[in-house]
């Protein structure tokens, strides 16, 4: 009987320790999208046969890694039938004191993106957020919204590609947190 009590005590203390350490993990949250859930029409692209609002969702993050100098946010669809996925949004050099973006920050015309940040051309060919627009009948696509804590401000050329931007983000990432939302047409 004593051995099983010891095993229970070890199990409960392990669960407590792992839960306590998870509470301090870098995390990404949103009031408009959720992990494993389908996005709404406002996050659908407007164009290419899609008629959504093309509006980036509200995002907030917490438990930032120590020594973070800036943030980057990426939105990537690994299921796009391109052979290389599809970059829907890359915004870099978000100041380290910013821990949230309001809905619509990916639209350069409304000037909601933080001062000093830079939006990279998406795979539709313009800087800013481009919503979901998977081919009709192609099934469910995953949209990986990721915030990256960066060790430095990124110095990118004027017309940096999505691949180069991703490389530089990963080369200077102190940690990341993601929400994988879904969309289907």
């Amino acid at each position: 009987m004593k051995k099983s009590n010891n095993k229970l005590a070890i199990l409960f203390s392990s669960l407590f320790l792992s839960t306590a350490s998870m509470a301090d993990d870098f995390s990404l949250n949103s009031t408009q999208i959720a992990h494993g859930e389908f996005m709404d029409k406002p996050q659908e692209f407007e164009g290419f046969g899609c008629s959504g609002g093309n509006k980036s969702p509200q995002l907030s993050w917490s438990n930032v890694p120590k020594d973070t100098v800036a943030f980057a946010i990426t939105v990537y669809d690994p299921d796009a039938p391109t052979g290389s996925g599809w970059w829907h949004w890359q915004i870099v050099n978000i100041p380290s004191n910013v821990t949230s973006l309001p809905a619509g920050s990916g639209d350069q015309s409304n000037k909601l993106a933080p001062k000093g940040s830079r939006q990279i051309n998406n795979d539709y060919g313009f800087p800013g957020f481009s919503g979901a627009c998977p081919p009709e009948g192609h099934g469910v696509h995953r949209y990986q919204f990721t915030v990256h804590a960066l060790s430095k401000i990124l110095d990118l050329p004027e017309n940096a590609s999505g691949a180069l931007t991703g490389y530089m983000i990963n080369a200077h990432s102190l940690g990341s947190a993601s929400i994988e939302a879904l969309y289907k047409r």
Side-chain angles (χ1 to χ4, degrees):
M1 185 78 164
K2 194 162 196 144
K3 282 186 180 178
S4 70
N5 283 342
N6 285 343
K7 287 180 183 176
L8 271 171
I10 291 169
L11 175 66
F12 282 121
S13 69
S14 295
L15 286 172
F16 174 75
L17 290 174
S18 63
T19 303
S21 68
M22 287 188 331
D24 292 338
D25 286 348
F26 189 27
S27 63
L28 177 63
N29 297 292
S30 176
T31 58
Q32 296 177 305
I33 60 169
H35 188 76
E37 300 291 327
F38 282 88
M39 291 186 286
D40 292 327
K41 194 77 166 172
Q43 282 75 55
E44 182 181 289
F45 189 63
E46 186 171 332
F48 280 67
C50 291
S51 59
N54 202 43
K55 189 173 186 179
S56 59
Q58 179 278 337
L59 299 170
S60 60
W61 49 96
S62 58
N63 301 315
V64 174
K66 185 180 179 219
D67 299 326
T68 297
V69 173
F71 297 101
I73 293 174
T74 60
V75 180
Y76 178 71
D77 172 5
D79 303 312
T82 63
S84 61
W86 193 272
W87 289 108
H88 286 267
W89 195 22
Q90 292 176 310
I91 178 172
V92 300
N93 299 337
I94 299 167
S96 62
N97 65 335
V98 174
T99 57
S100 67
L101 295 180
S105 293
D107 180 347
Q108 295 213 114
S109 69
N110 65 20
K111 302 189 186 311
L112 292 175
K115 187 174 179 143
S117 65
R118 179 174 165 202
Q119 302 204 48
I120 307 300
N121 279 356
N122 56 51
D123 281 341
Y124 286 106
F126 64 88
F129 177 80
S130 62
C133 187
E136 278 192 73
H138 199 255
V140 176
H141 281 222
R142 297 167 291 156
Y143 296 84
Q144 298 164 344
F145 290 76
T146 305
V147 61
H148 304 265
L150 303 175
S151 62
K152 64 179 267 181
I153 298 291
L154 301 183
D155 183 22
L156 294 166
E158 184 63 33
N159 290 315
S161 68
L164 175 60
T165 303
Y167 174 82
M168 294 299 288
I169 289 170
N170 289 320
H172 300 288
S173 181
L174 298 171
S176 64
S178 296
I179 296 172
E180 187 175 79
L182 309 173
Y183 206 77
K184 177 182 175 181
R185 287 196 318 136

